[in-house]
Amino acid sequence: MDASDLDRDPLRQLDEWLEAARAAGDPMPEAMCLATASRDHEPSARFVLLRGRDEGVVFFTDYESGKGRDLGENPKAAAVLHWYVPVHRQVRISGAVVKTTAEESDRYWASRPAGSRRSAVASHQSSVVATREELEAAVAALGGSEPPRPERWGGYRIVPAVVEFWEEQQFRLHDRIRFVRDDDGWRVERLAP
Ligand SMILES: Cc1cc2nc3c(=O)[nH]c(=O)nc-3n(C[C@H](O)[C@H](O)[C@H](O)COP(=O)(O)O)c2cc1C
């Protein structure tokens, strides 16, 4: 793999690899491990689903969750996607994080099944609950309703400053091509594996 094999826009290149993984049978190619850090630099990582791609990558969550708290204190994140098919690949993204607009969050909220919307309303993500029954009772109390999006639920967009493409090669002499945002676009460089 060479820089000339990749799109000049690293996010379009990400789309291409993600769709290649999906076409090759990866059941959840949009799973993305998201790392955040608190004000005290305490790191934390978890998977989220990449749900949109424009000038950044978008995921949705509870703003009052652990990640939401971290991002409130320190609005930066790193994310990584990894696929075995059609080729063994990894993409790393890092940059500043901003909330999506209320309209974007509403639109995504409306696209979710009603049951998932009720679960999100009943579950204050990452708070401690005594029992599963307590959660189920909170969902049951909502009946068959279609609740509006709670203020605490919405999207974040990672606006990448760095995007790195990794592809396996023989004898661990893997290819790594890194895009670093600069004044007039992207600087592209090769890294030792
Ligand atoms: C494959 C996968 C995808 C997930 N996608 C999301 C997601 O899009 N949004 C979300 O809030 N949690 C998602 N989760 C759950 C998170 O990993 C995590 O448990 C939750 O967001 C709470 O994390 P936090 O306490 O660090 O905020 C996903 C989990 C897995 C395994």
Side-chain angles (χ1 to χ4, degrees):
M1 176 176 78
D2 210 359
S4 61
D5 299 323
L6 300 177
D7 199 293
R8 286 150 59 126
D9 176 347
L11 292 182
R12 273 210 306 264
Q13 185 60 46
L14 168 63
D15 290 345
E16 213 174 281
W17 278 18
L18 201 150
E19 289 316 317
R22 193 190 314 284
D26 187 313
M28 204 180 272
E30 60 279 10
M32 166 169 95
C33 186
L34 173 81
T36 57
S38 68
R39 186 186 289 119
D40 304 329
H41 317 295
E42 193 67 44
S44 187
R46 80 293 284 157
F47 279 90
V48 294
L49 295 178
L50 194 166
R51 284 304 193 203
R53 209 287 283 159
D54 38 40
E55 72 273 18
V57 296
V58 175
F59 62 92
F60 292 90
T61 192
D62 188 322
Y63 290 139
E64 296 175 3
S65 63
K67 72 184 89 49
R69 227 175 1 258
D70 280 359
L71 291 170
E73 294 176 5
N74 175 15
K76 292 178 183 171
V80 59
L81 299 100
H82 172 246
W83 310 283
Y84 272 115
V85 289
V87 182
H88 192 189
R89 287 170 167 162
Q90 167 180 263
V91 178
R92 296 166 67 173
I93 301 167
S94 56
V97 178
V98 289
K99 283 184 179 173
T100 56
T101 63
E103 291 71 33
E104 285 177 281
S105 297
D106 284 340
R107 215 173 312 125
Y108 183 68
W109 177 260
S111 78
R112 304 179 83 214
S116 305
R117 284 180 260 163
R118 291 193 289 271
S119 296
V121 168
S123 160
H124 291 249
Q125 193 178 55
S126 310
S127 63
V128 174
V129 286
T131 60
R132 181 172 178 90
E133 287 67 38
E134 185 182 307
L135 278 174
E136 289 175 353
V139 173
L142 295 169
S145 66
E146 298 207 3
R149 177 177 65 84
E151 281 275 310
R152 63 177 163 80
W153 193 96
Y156 285 108
R157 174 176 288 103
I158 309 173
V159 182
V162 180
V163 185
E164 184 201 311
F165 296 88
W166 178 103
E167 195 172 272
E168 180 174 333
Q169 299 298 337
Q170 264 200 330
F171 305 115
R172 300 192 186 272
L173 202 60
H174 310 306
D175 283 322
R176 296 176 65 190
I177 305 287
R178 179 168 71 183
F179 290 68
V180 181
R181 201 188 285 278
D182 67 16
D183 296 341
D184 35 86
W186 296 96
R187 186 175 78 246
V188 184
E189 50 205 13
R190 175 176 287 276
L191 300 177

Coordinates of all heavy atoms in Angstrom, one line a residue, residues 118-190:
R118 N -37.2 3.8 24.1 CA -37.6 3.7 25.5 C -36.5 3.2 26.4 O -36.4 3.7 27.6 CB -38.8 2.7 25.6 CG -40.1 3.2 24.9 CD -41.3 2.4 25.2 NE -41.3 1.1 24.6 CZ -41.8 0.9 23.4 NH1 -42.4 1.8 22.7 NH2 -41.8 -0.4 22.9
S119 N -35.7 2.3 25.9 CA -34.5 1.9 26.8 C -33.6 3.0 27.1 O -33.1 3.1 28.2 CB -33.7 0.8 26.1 OG -34.5 -0.4 25.9
A120 N -33.4 3.9 26.1 CA -32.5 5.0 26.3 C -33.0 6.0 27.4 O -32.3 6.5 28.2 CB -32.2 5.7 25.0
V121 N -34.4 6.1 27.3 CA -35.0 7.0 28.3 C -34.9 6.4 29.7 O -34.6 7.1 30.7 CB -36.5 7.3 27.9 CG1 -37.2 8.0 29.0 CG2 -36.5 8.2 26.6
A122 N -35.1 5.1 29.8 CA -35.2 4.5 31.1 C -33.8 4.3 31.7 O -33.6 4.2 32.9 CB -35.9 3.1 31.0
S123 N -32.8 4.2 30.8 CA -31.4 3.9 31.3 C -30.5 5.1 31.3 O -30.2 5.6 30.2 CB -30.8 2.8 30.3 OG -29.4 2.8 30.4
H124 N -30.2 5.5 32.5 CA -29.2 6.7 32.6 C -27.8 6.0 32.5 O -27.3 5.5 33.5 CB -29.4 7.4 33.9 CG -30.7 8.2 33.9 ND1 -30.8 9.5 33.9 CD2 -32.0 7.7 33.9 CE1 -32.0 9.9 33.9 NE2 -32.8 8.9 33.9
Q125 N -27.3 6.0 31.3 CA -26.1 5.2 31.0 C -25.0 5.4 31.9 O -24.6 6.6 32.2 CB -25.7 5.5 29.6 CG -24.7 4.5 29.0 CD -24.3 4.8 27.6 OE1 -23.8 5.9 27.3 NE2 -24.5 3.8 26.7
S126 N -24.4 4.3 32.4 CA -23.3 4.3 33.3 C -23.6 4.7 34.7 O -22.6 4.8 35.6 CB -22.1 5.1 32.7 OG -21.9 4.8 31.4
S127 N -24.9 4.9 35.1 CA -25.2 5.0 36.5 C -25.3 3.6 37.1 O -25.6 2.6 36.4 CB -26.5 5.8 36.7 OG -27.6 5.1 36.1
V128 N -25.1 3.5 38.4 CA -25.2 2.2 39.1 C -26.7 1.9 39.3 O -27.4 2.7 39.8 CB -24.4 2.2 40.4 CG1 -24.6 0.9 41.2 CG2 -23.0 2.5 40.2
V129 N -27.1 0.6 38.9 CA -28.5 0.2 39.2 C -28.4 -1.0 40.1 O -27.5 -1.8 40.0 CB -29.2 -0.1 37.9 CG1 -29.6 1.1 37.1 CG2 -28.4 -1.0 37.0
A130 N -29.4 -1.1 41.0 CA -29.4 -2.2 42.0 C -29.7 -3.6 41.3 O -29.0 -4.5 41.6 CB -30.5 -2.0 43.0
T131 N -30.6 -3.6 40.4 CA -31.0 -4.9 39.7 C -31.4 -4.7 38.3 O -31.8 -3.5 37.9 CB -32.2 -5.6 40.5 OG1 -33.3 -4.7 40.4 CG2 -31.9 -5.9 41.9
R132 N -31.4 -5.7 37.5 CA -32.0 -5.6 36.1 C -33.5 -5.3 36.2 O -34.0 -4.6 35.3 CB -31.7 -6.9 35.4 CG -32.2 -6.9 34.0 CD -31.8 -8.0 33.1 NE -32.5 -7.8 31.8 CZ -31.9 -7.1 30.8 NH1 -30.6 -6.6 30.9 NH2 -32.5 -6.8 29.7
E133 N -34.1 -5.9 37.2 CA -35.6 -5.7 37.3 C -35.9 -4.2 37.4 O -36.9 -3.8 36.9 CB -36.1 -6.4 38.5 CG -36.2 -8.0 38.4 CD -34.8 -8.6 38.3 OE1 -33.9 -8.2 39.0 OE2 -34.7 -9.6 37.5
E134 N -35.1 -3.5 38.1 CA -35.3 -2.0 38.3 C -35.3 -1.4 36.9 O -36.2 -0.5 36.6 CB -34.2 -1.5 39.1 CG -34.3 0.0 39.5 CD -33.1 0.4 40.3 OE1 -32.7 -0.3 41.3 OE2 -32.4 1.4 39.9
L135 N -34.4 -1.8 36.0 CA -34.3 -1.2 34.7 C -35.6 -1.6 33.9 O -36.2 -0.8 33.2 CB -33.1 -1.7 33.9 CG -31.8 -1.1 34.2 CD1 -30.7 -1.8 33.5 CD2 -31.8 0.4 33.7
E136 N -35.9 -2.9 34.0 CA -37.1 -3.4 33.2 C -38.4 -2.7 33.7 O -39.2 -2.4 32.8 CB -37.2 -4.9 33.3 CG -36.0 -5.6 32.6 CD -36.0 -7.1 32.7 OE1 -36.7 -7.7 33.6 OE2 -35.1 -7.7 32.0
A137 N -38.5 -2.4 35.0 CA -39.7 -1.7 35.5 C -39.7 -0.3 34.9 O -40.8 0.2 34.6 CB -39.6 -1.7 37.0
A138 N -38.6 0.3 34.8 CA -38.5 1.7 34.3 C -38.9 1.7 32.8 O -39.6 2.6 32.4 CB -37.1 2.3 34.5
V139 N -38.5 0.7 32.1 CA -39.0 0.6 30.7 C -40.5 0.3 30.6 O -41.2 0.9 29.8 CB -38.2 -0.5 29.9 CG1 -38.7 -0.7 28.5 CG2 -36.7 -0.2 29.8
A140 N -40.9 -0.6 31.5 CA -42.4 -1.0 31.4 C -43.2 0.2 31.8 O -44.3 0.3 31.2 CB -42.6 -2.2 32.4
A141 N -42.8 1.1 32.6 CA -43.6 2.2 33.0 C -43.8 3.2 31.8 O -44.7 4.0 31.8 CB -42.8 3.0 34.1
L142 N -43.0 3.0 30.8 CA -43.2 3.9 29.6 C -44.2 3.3 28.6 O -44.6 3.9 27.6 CB -41.8 4.0 28.8 CG -40.8 4.8 29.6 CD1 -39.4 4.7 28.9 CD2 -41.2 6.3 29.8
G143 N -44.7 2.1 28.9 CA -45.7 1.4 28.1 C -45.3 1.3 26.7 O -44.1 1.0 26.4
G144 N -46.2 1.6 25.7 CA -45.9 1.5 24.3 C -45.6 2.9 23.7 O -45.7 3.1 22.5
S145 N -45.2 3.8 24.6 CA -45.0 5.2 24.2 C -43.8 5.4 23.2 O -43.0 4.5 23.1 CB -44.9 6.1 25.4 OG -43.7 5.8 26.0
E146 N -43.8 6.5 22.5 CA -42.7 6.9 21.7 C -42.1 8.2 22.3 O -42.4 9.3 21.8 CB -43.1 7.1 20.3 CG -43.7 5.8 19.7 CD -43.5 5.7 18.2 OE1 -42.9 6.6 17.6 OE2 -44.0 4.7 17.6
P147 N -41.3 8.0 23.3 CA -40.8 9.2 24.0 C -39.9 10.1 23.2 O -39.2 9.6 22.3 CB -40.0 8.7 25.2 CG -39.7 7.3 24.8 CD -40.7 6.8 23.8
P148 N -40.0 11.4 23.4 CA -39.0 12.3 22.7 C -37.6 12.1 23.2 O -37.4 11.6 24.2 CB -39.6 13.7 23.0 CG -40.3 13.5 24.3 CD -40.8 12.1 24.3
R149 N -36.7 12.6 22.4 CA -35.3 12.5 22.8 C -35.0 13.3 24.1 O -35.3 14.4 24.1 CB -34.4 13.1 21.7 CG -32.9 13.0 22.0 CD -32.1 13.6 20.8 NE -32.3 15.0 20.5 CZ -31.7 16.0 21.1 NH1 -30.8 15.8 22.0 NH2 -32.0 17.2 20.8
P150 N -34.4 12.6 25.1 CA -34.0 13.3 26.3 C -32.9 14.2 26.0 O -32.0 13.9 25.1 CB -33.6 12.2 27.3 CG -33.8 10.9 26.6 CD -34.1 11.1 25.2
E151 N -32.8 15.4 26.7 CA -31.7 16.3 26.5 C -30.4 15.7 26.6 O -29.4 16.1 26.0 CB -31.8 17.4 27.6 CG -32.9 18.5 27.3 CD -32.3 19.6 26.4 OE1 -31.2 20.1 26.7 OE2 -33.0 19.9 25.4
R152 N -30.3 14.6 27.5 CA -29.0 14.0 27.8 C -28.6 13.0 26.8 O -27.5 12.5 27.0 CB -29.1 13.4 29.2 CG -30.1 12.2 29.2 CD -30.1 11.5 30.6 NE -31.3 10.6 30.7 CZ -31.4 9.4 30.2 NH1 -30.5 8.9 29.5 NH2 -32.6 8.8 30.4
W153 N -29.3 12.8 25.7 CA -29.0 11.8 24.7 C -28.7 12.6 23.4 O -29.5 13.4 23.0 CB -30.1 10.8 24.6 CG -29.7 9.6 23.8 CD1 -29.3 8.4 24.3 CD2 -29.7 9.5 22.4 NE1 -29.1 7.5 23.3 CE2 -29.3 8.2 22.1 CE3 -30.0 10.3 21.3 CZ2 -29.1 7.7 20.8 CZ3 -29.8 9.9 20.0 CH2 -29.4 8.5 19.8
G154 N -27.6 12.2 22.7 CA -27.3 12.9 21.4 C -26.0 12.4 20.8 O -25.4 11.4 21.3
G155 N -25.6 13.1 19.9 CA -24.4 12.7 19.1 C -23.2 13.5 19.4 O -23.2 14.6 20.0
Y156 N -22.0 13.0 19.1 CA -20.8 13.7 19.1 C -20.1 13.5 17.7 O -20.3 12.4 17.1 CB -19.8 13.1 20.1 CG -20.1 13.4 21.6 CD1 -20.6 12.4 22.4 CD2 -19.8 14.7 22.1 CE1 -20.8 12.7 23.8 CE2 -20.0 14.9 23.5 CZ -20.5 13.9 24.3 OH -20.8 14.2 25.6
R157 N -19.3 14.4 17.3 CA -18.6 14.3 16.1 C -17.1 14.5 16.4 O -16.7 15.5 17.0 CB -19.0 15.4 15.1 CG -18.2 15.5 13.8 CD -18.8 16.6 12.9 NE -20.0 16.1 12.2 CZ -21.2 16.5 12.5 NH1 -21.4 17.5 13.4 NH2 -22.3 16.0 11.9
I158 N -16.3 13.5 16.0 CA -14.8 13.7 16.1 C -14.4 14.3 14.9 O -14.6 13.8 13.8 CB -14.1 12.3 16.3 CG1 -14.8 11.5 17.4 CG2 -12.6 12.5 16.5 CD1 -14.2 10.0 17.5
V159 N -13.8 15.5 15.0 CA -13.2 16.2 13.8 C -11.7 15.8 13.7 O -11.0 16.3 14.5 CB -13.4 17.7 13.9 CG1 -12.9 18.4 12.6 CG2 -14.9 18.0 14.1
P160 N -11.4 15.0 12.8 CA -10.0 14.4 12.8 C -8.9 15.4 12.6 O -9.0 16.2 11.6 CB -10.0 13.3 11.8 CG -11.2 13.5 11.0 CD -12.2 14.4 11.7
A161 N -7.9 15.3 13.4 CA -6.6 16.0 13.1 C -5.6 15.1 12.5 O -4.7 15.5 11.8 CB -6.1 16.6 14.4
V162 N -5.8 13.8 12.9 CA -4.9 12.7 12.4 C -5.7 11.5 12.0 O -6.6 11.1 12.8 CB -3.8 12.4 13.5 CG1 -2.9 11.3 13.0 CG2 -3.0 13.6 13.9
V163 N -5.4 10.9 10.9 CA -6.1 9.6 10.5 C -4.9 8.7 10.0 O -4.2 9.1 9.1 CB -7.1 9.8 9.4 CG1 -7.8 8.5 9.1 CG2 -8.1 10.9 9.7
E164 N -4.9 7.5 10.5 CA -3.8 6.6 10.1 C -4.4 5.3 9.6 O -5.2 4.7 10.2 CB -2.9 6.3 11.3 CG -1.7 5.4 10.8 CD -1.0 4.7 11.9 OE1 -0.7 5.3 13.0 OE2 -0.8 3.4 11.8
F165 N -3.9 4.9 8.4 CA -4.3 3.6 7.8 C -3.2 2.6 7.9 O -2.0 2.9 7.6 CB -4.6 3.9 6.3 CG -5.8 4.8 6.1 CD1 -5.6 6.2 6.0 CD2 -7.0 4.3 6.0 CE1 -6.6 7.1 5.9 CE2 -8.1 5.2 5.9 CZ -7.9 6.6 5.8
W166 N -3.5 1.5 8.4 CA -2.6 0.4 8.7 C -3.1 -0.9 7.9 O -4.3 -1.2 7.9 CB -2.6 0.1 10.2 CG -1.7 -1.1 10.6 CD1 -0.5 -0.9 11.3 CD2 -2.0 -2.5 10.6 NE1 0.0 -2.2 11.6 CE2 -0.9 -3.1 11.2 CE3 -3.1 -3.3 10.2 CZ2 -0.8 -4.5 11.4 CZ3 -3.0 -4.6 10.3 CH2 -1.9 -5.3 10.9
E167 N -2.2 -1.5 7.2 CA -2.5 -2.7 6.4 C -1.4 -3.8 6.6 O -0.3 -3.5 6.5 CB -2.7 -2.4 5.0 CG -3.5 -3.5 4.2 CD -3.8 -3.0 2.8 OE1 -4.9 -2.4 2.6 OE2 -3.0 -3.3 1.9
E168 N -1.9 -5.0 6.9 CA -0.9 -6.0 7.2 C -0.1 -6.4 5.9 O -0.6 -6.5 4.8 CB -1.6 -7.3 7.7 CG -0.7 -8.5 7.9 CD -1.4 -9.7 8.6 OE1 -2.4 -9.5 9.2 OE2 -0.9 -10.8 8.4
Q169 N 1.2 -6.6 6.1 CA 2.1 -7.1 5.1 C 2.9 -8.2 5.6 O 2.9 -8.5 6.8 CB 3.0 -6.0 4.5 CG 2.2 -4.8 3.9 CD 1.4 -5.1 2.7 OE1 1.6 -6.1 2.0 NE2 0.3 -4.4 2.5
Q170 N 3.6 -8.9 4.7 CA 4.4 -10.1 5.1 C 5.4 -9.8 6.2 O 6.1 -8.7 6.1 CB 5.1 -10.7 3.9 CG 4.3 -11.8 3.3 CD 5.1 -12.7 2.4 OE1 6.1 -12.2 1.8 NE2 4.8 -13.9 2.3
F171 N 5.7 -10.8 7.1 CA 6.7 -10.7 8.1 C 6.7 -9.4 8.9 O 7.7 -8.9 9.3 CB 8.1 -10.9 7.4 CG 8.2 -12.1 6.6 CD1 8.4 -12.1 5.2 CD2 8.1 -13.4 7.2 CE1 8.5 -13.2 4.5 CE2 8.2 -14.5 6.5 CZ 8.4 -14.5 5.1
R172 N 5.5 -9.0 9.1 CA 5.2 -7.8 10.0 C 5.8 -6.5 9.5 O 5.9 -5.6 10.3 CB 5.6 -8.1 11.5 CG 4.9 -9.3 12.0 CD 5.1 -9.5 13.5 NE 4.5 -10.8 13.9 CZ 3.2 -10.9 14.3 NH1 2.4 -9.9 14.3 NH2 2.8 -12.1 14.7
L173 N 6.2 -6.5 8.3 CA 6.6 -5.2 7.7 C 5.4 -4.5 7.1 O 5.3 -4.2 5.9 CB 7.7 -5.5 6.6 CG 8.6 -4.3 6.4 CD1 9.4 -3.9 7.6 CD2 9.6 -4.6 5.3
H174 N 4.5 -4.2 8.1 CA 3.2 -3.6 7.7 C 3.3 -2.2 7.1 O 4.3 -1.5 7.3 CB 2.3 -3.6 8.9 CG 2.2 -4.9 9.7 ND1 1.9 -6.1 9.1 CD2 2.5 -5.1 11.0 CE1 2.0 -7.0 10.0 NE2 2.3 -6.5 11.2
D175 N 2.2 -1.8 6.4 CA 2.2 -0.5 5.8 C 1.4 0.4 6.8 O 0.3 0.0 7.3 CB 1.4 -0.5 4.5 CG 2.3 -1.0 3.4 OD1 3.5 -0.7 3.4 OD2 1.8 -1.7 2.5
R176 N 1.9 1.6 7.0 CA 1.2 2.6 7.8 C 1.3 3.9 7.0 O 2.5 4.4 6.8 CB 1.9 2.8 9.2 CG 1.8 1.5 10.0 CD 2.5 1.8 11.3 NE 1.9 2.8 12.1 CZ 2.4 3.3 13.2 NH1 3.6 2.9 13.6 NH2 1.8 4.2 13.9
I177 N 0.2 4.5 6.7 CA 0.2 5.8 6.1 C -0.6 6.8 6.9 O -1.8 6.4 7.3 CB -0.5 5.8 4.6 CG1 0.3 4.7 3.8 CG2 -0.5 7.1 4.0 CD1 1.6 5.1 3.3
R178 N 0.0 7.9 7.3 CA -0.7 8.8 8.3 C -1.0 10.1 7.6 O -0.2 10.7 6.9 CB 0.2 9.0 9.5 CG -0.4 10.0 10.5 CD 0.4 10.0 11.8 NE 1.7 10.6 11.6 CZ 2.6 10.7 12.6 NH1 2.3 10.1 13.8 NH2 3.8 11.2 12.4
F179 N -2.2 10.6 7.8 CA -2.7 11.9 7.3 C -2.7 12.8 8.5 O -3.4 12.5 9.5 CB -4.1 11.8 6.7 CG -4.2 11.1 5.4 CD1 -4.0 9.7 5.3 CD2 -4.5 11.7 4.2 CE1 -4.1 9.0 4.1 CE2 -4.6 11.1 3.0 CZ -4.4 9.7 2.9
V180 N -2.0 13.9 8.4 CA -2.0 14.9 9.5 C -2.6 16.2 8.9 O -2.1 16.7 7.9 CB -0.6 15.2 10.0 CG1 -0.6 16.2 11.2 CG2 0.0 13.8 10.5
R181 N -3.6 16.8 9.5 CA -4.2 18.0 9.0 C -3.3 19.1 9.1 O -2.7 19.3 10.2 CB -5.5 18.3 9.7 CG -6.5 19.2 9.0 CD -7.6 19.6 9.8 NE -8.6 18.6 10.0 CZ -9.6 18.3 9.1 NH1 -9.6 18.9 7.9 NH2 -10.5 17.4 9.4
D182 N -3.1 19.9 8.0 CA -2.3 21.1 8.1 C -3.1 22.2 7.5 O -4.3 22.0 7.1 CB -0.9 21.0 7.6 CG -0.8 20.7 6.1 OD1 -1.8 20.9 5.5 OD2 0.3 20.3 5.7
D183 N -2.5 23.4 7.3 CA -3.2 24.6 6.9 C -4.1 24.4 5.6 O -5.2 24.8 5.6 CB -2.3 25.8 6.7 CG -1.6 26.1 8.0 OD1 -2.2 25.8 9.0 OD2 -0.5 26.8 8.0
D184 N -3.4 23.8 4.6 CA -4.2 23.6 3.4 C -4.5 22.2 3.0 O -4.2 21.8 1.9 CB -3.5 24.4 2.2 CG -2.0 24.3 2.4 OD1 -1.4 23.3 1.9 OD2 -1.4 25.2 3.0
G185 N -5.0 21.5 4.0 CA -5.4 20.1 3.7 C -4.7 19.1 4.6 O -4.7 19.2 5.8
W186 N -4.1 18.1 4.0 CA -3.5 17.0 4.7 C -2.1 16.7 4.3 O -1.8 16.7 3.1 CB -4.3 15.7 4.5 CG -5.7 15.7 4.9 CD1 -6.8 16.0 4.2 CD2 -6.2 15.5 6.3 NE1 -8.0 16.0 5.0 CE2 -7.6 15.6 6.2 CE3 -5.6 15.1 7.5 CZ2 -8.4 15.4 7.4 CZ3 -6.4 14.9 8.6 CH2 -7.8 15.1 8.5
R187 N -1.2 16.6 5.3 CA 0.2 16.2 5.0 C 0.1 14.6 5.1 O -0.5 14.1 6.1 CB 1.1 16.8 6.1 CG 2.5 16.5 5.9 CD 3.4 17.2 6.9 NE 3.5 16.5 8.2 CZ 3.0 17.0 9.3 NH1 2.4 18.2 9.3 NH2 3.1 16.3 10.4
V188 N 0.8 14.0 4.2 CA 0.7 12.5 4.2 C 2.1 12.0 4.4 O 3.1 12.4 3.8 CB 0.2 12.0 2.8 CG1 0.0 10.5 2.9 CG2 -1.2 12.7 2.5
E189 N 2.2 11.0 5.3 CA 3.6 10.5 5.6 C 3.5 9.0 5.9 O 2.5 8.5 6.3 CB 4.2 11.2 6.8 CG 3.3 11.4 8.0 CD 3.6 12.6 8.9 OE1 4.4 13.5 8.5 OE2 3.1 12.6 10.1
R190 N 4.6 8.3 5.7 CA 4.7 6.9 5.9 C 5.4 6.7 7.3 O 6.3 7.3 7.6 CB 5.5 6.2 4.8 CG 5.7 4.7 5.1 CD 6.4 4.0 3.9 NE 5.5 3.8 2.8 CZ 4.7 2.8 2.6 NH1 4.6 1.8 3.6 NH2 3.9 2.7 1.6

